[in-house]
Amino acid sequence: EALLVESGGGLVQAGGSTRLSCAASGFTFDDYAIGWFRQAPGKEREGVSCISVSSYGTTYYTDSVKGRFTISRDNAKSTVYLQMNGLGPEDTAVYYCARETSRYCTVIVGATRKIWPTDYDIWGQGTQVTVSS
């Protein structure tokens, strides 16, 4: 069974940092891109970041986190990380990692560039990140 398990959330002061981990099992890890999404109370799920398989070496970030968040993967550990720096109250949400259905990050180009939840088939249970002001 394919599984994703997030860890690393918690309470962080504004301006602080934290790192989320997404541990995968039950599938060939480097055959899939992995994404991070977040959902704040009363808001839609938002795509935050995505990393392709290692051989493609591409990443995606939503505009609001560019320069603050960094996504990486460790194939030996079947784990994807999301390093989050310069956190603000607007980053408070439940963060989910998810498996893309392909080897690359599908980015929808419109008024803005986005990743969509419908391109992901396996989801973790989520981890809460709360940023206090």
Side-chain angles (χ1 to χ4, degrees):
E1 180 186 9
L3 287 174
L4 296 171
V5 178
E6 303 96 337
S7 60
L11 179 64
V12 184
Q13 288 190 339
S17 300
T18 194
R19 188 179 75 163
L20 305 183
S21 299
C22 172
S25 62
F27 62 95
T28 304
F29 182 66
D30 202 28
D31 278 354
Y32 296 91
I34 302 292
W36 285 96
F37 290 77
R38 65 186 180 186
Q39 189 164 19
K43 294 189 176 181
E44 293 186 351
R45 191 163 296 192
E46 174 191 28
V48 175
S49 184
C50 179
I51 186 166
S52 70
V53 298
S54 299
S55 57
Y56 293 178
T58 61
T59 57
Y60 160 88
Y61 298 95
T62 192
D63 286 346
S64 63
V65 308
K66 283 181 181 176
R68 300 189 298 126
F69 290 11
T70 302
I71 191 170
S72 62
R73 67 189 297 155
D74 184 339
N75 293 327
K77 296 181 179 180
S78 297
T79 299
V80 169
Y81 302 99
L82 186 68
Q83 177 67 42
M84 306 191 292
N85 300 329
L87 287 163
E90 68 278 10
D91 297 312
T92 295
V94 177
Y95 283 73
Y96 301 89
C97 65
R99 188 182 77 173
E100 240 273 12
T101 56
S102 68
R103 300 169 66 84
Y104 53 86
C105 300
T106 305
V107 179
I108 308 301
V109 179
T112 58
R113 300 171 69 247
K114 293 184 177 182
I115 57 175
W116 286 103
T118 51
D119 289 315
Y120 295 77
D121 60 353
I122 304 295
W123 291 80
Q125 81 287 353
T127 186
Q128 177 71 46
V129 174
T130 302
V131 183
S132 62
S133 57

